[in-house]
Amino acid sequence: DTGVSQDPRHKITKRGQNVTFRCDPISEHNRLYWYRQTLGQGPEFLTYFQNEAQLEKSRLLSDRFSAERPKGSFSTLEIQRTEQGDSAMYLCASSPSPTGGLPGETQYFGPGTRLLVL
Amino acid sequence: RKEVEQDPGPFNVPEGATVAFNCTYSNSASQSFFWYRQDCRKEPKLLMSVYSSGNEDGRFTAQLNRASQYISLLIRDSKLSDSATYLCVVKGGSTLTFGKGTMLLVSP
């Protein structure tokens, strides 16, 4: 399967614990995005990387959240001191870089990591 | 005002019906527009891009009206397998902004 993969698919944790999620993008895609989706809502943008550089972060990304993409390939999203409000589906997406001044290709999503904070 | 607004539905239609979804967006500088489909507890998947000239893909037709900041999706001859949530998506810069989605339920 050459699509976006995420690990784990499900995570249950207790409030106050730290969790880390991994995303492996489509191999030739330079851009990697993290989104969060709660029940009844569309996905909400968290942050994105072009290669290893983190280019944009949403206001949703509090100090407890950190994302890395150290070698420009896979990415990790860590949530420290989890809260019940962090319970959501965390989606990763990837896309190639835009060319020719065009807005760029669309984004392809992984299956998500479903987090439940008790 | 939310950046991307959709009627959440659900739209309940019989097989074979034609159904239309609408969406409005607030940022006039938005550059690209899409419809994504999301099945229950699954990731969003691209259904189609939306162009100003309108575009069609089989039973699906998408339209964009930049002046009114309005996007539509028309599904003809609905199938049971079309049951899903349809997400209106607007791209400005590098990030996607999603609507809450419109749920479609197609019944036999």
Side-chain angles (χ1 to χ4, degrees):
Chain A
D1 186 354
T2 57
V4 178
S5 62
Q6 293 187 245
D7 183 70
R9 296 290 303 275
H10 300 89
K11 178 71 177 179
I12 300 174
T13 191
K14 293 182 179 179
R15 188 177 49 172
Q17 298 296 303
N18 299 343
V19 294
T20 299
F21 309 141
R22 175 177 171 130
C23 170
D24 287 87
I26 294 170
S27 58
E28 62 268 27
H29 286 181
N30 298 331
R31 292 191 168 187
L32 185 150
Y33 309 80
W34 286 99
Y35 292 83
R36 181 176 71 185
Q37 185 175 24
T38 54
L39 197 62
Q41 303 294 319
E44 296 172 295
F45 169 74
L46 293 178
T47 187
Y48 96 92
F49 293 83
Q50 169 123 355
N51 299 313
E52 65 276 9
Q54 189 173 16
L55 296 186
E56 190 170 339
K57 292 194 287 188
S58 160
R59 290 172 299 171
L60 293 175
L61 210 67
S62 76
D63 292 345
R64 297 184 298 105
F65 288 68
S66 63
E68 294 182 345
R69 195 182 183 198
K71 297 182 180 179
S73 56
F74 73 91
S75 175
T76 57
L77 177 68
E78 181 183 16
I79 309 174
Q80 296 182 324
R81 304 181 304 281
T82 52
E83 301 172 356
Q84 289 181 324
D86 297 331
S87 296
M89 169 87 94
Y90 289 85
L91 292 159
C92 176
S94 71
S95 71
S97 292
T99 56
L102 296 175
E105 299 285 340
T106 192
Q107 298 174 18
Y108 297 89
F109 284 82
T113 295
R114 192 172 296 277
L115 172 66
L116 177 60
V117 181
L118 301 175
Chain B
R1 180 184 173 187
K2 291 197 177 292
E3 291 189 59
V4 180
E5 293 205 56
Q6 297 181 250
D7 180 344
F11 284 55
N12 288 282
V13 303
E15 270 188 293
T18 295
V19 61
F21 304 140
N22 302 318
C23 164
T24 57
Y25 62 96
S26 61
N27 185 353
S28 59
S30 299
Q31 300 165 315
S32 307
F33 308 88
F34 309 92
W35 284 100
Y36 275 72
R37 169 194 169 129
Q38 187 169 29
D39 293 295
C40 188
R41 302 180 72 82
K42 299 284 189 180
E43 74 272 23
K45 293 186 177 179
L46 178 66
L47 179 66
M48 58 197 304
S49 301
V50 188
Y51 305 113
S52 297
S53 55
N55 49 300
E56 187 173 310
D57 182 2
R59 298 182 293 108
F60 299 84
T61 300
Q63 296 274 359
L64 166 65
N65 183 323
R66 283 188 182 268
S68 302
Q69 295 180 202
Y70 173 94
I71 306 163
S72 66
L73 177 68
L74 183 75
I75 306 176
R76 291 182 298 278
D77 189 22
S78 299
K79 311 292 185 190
L80 294 177
S81 58
D82 293 335
S83 296
T85 295
Y86 290 83
L87 297 161
C88 177
V89 186
V90 171
K91 186 175 184 183
S94 300
T95 63
L96 301 180
T97 302
F98 287 78
K100 289 186 177 183
T102 298
M103 184 181 292
L104 172 65
L105 300 171
V106 182
S107 54

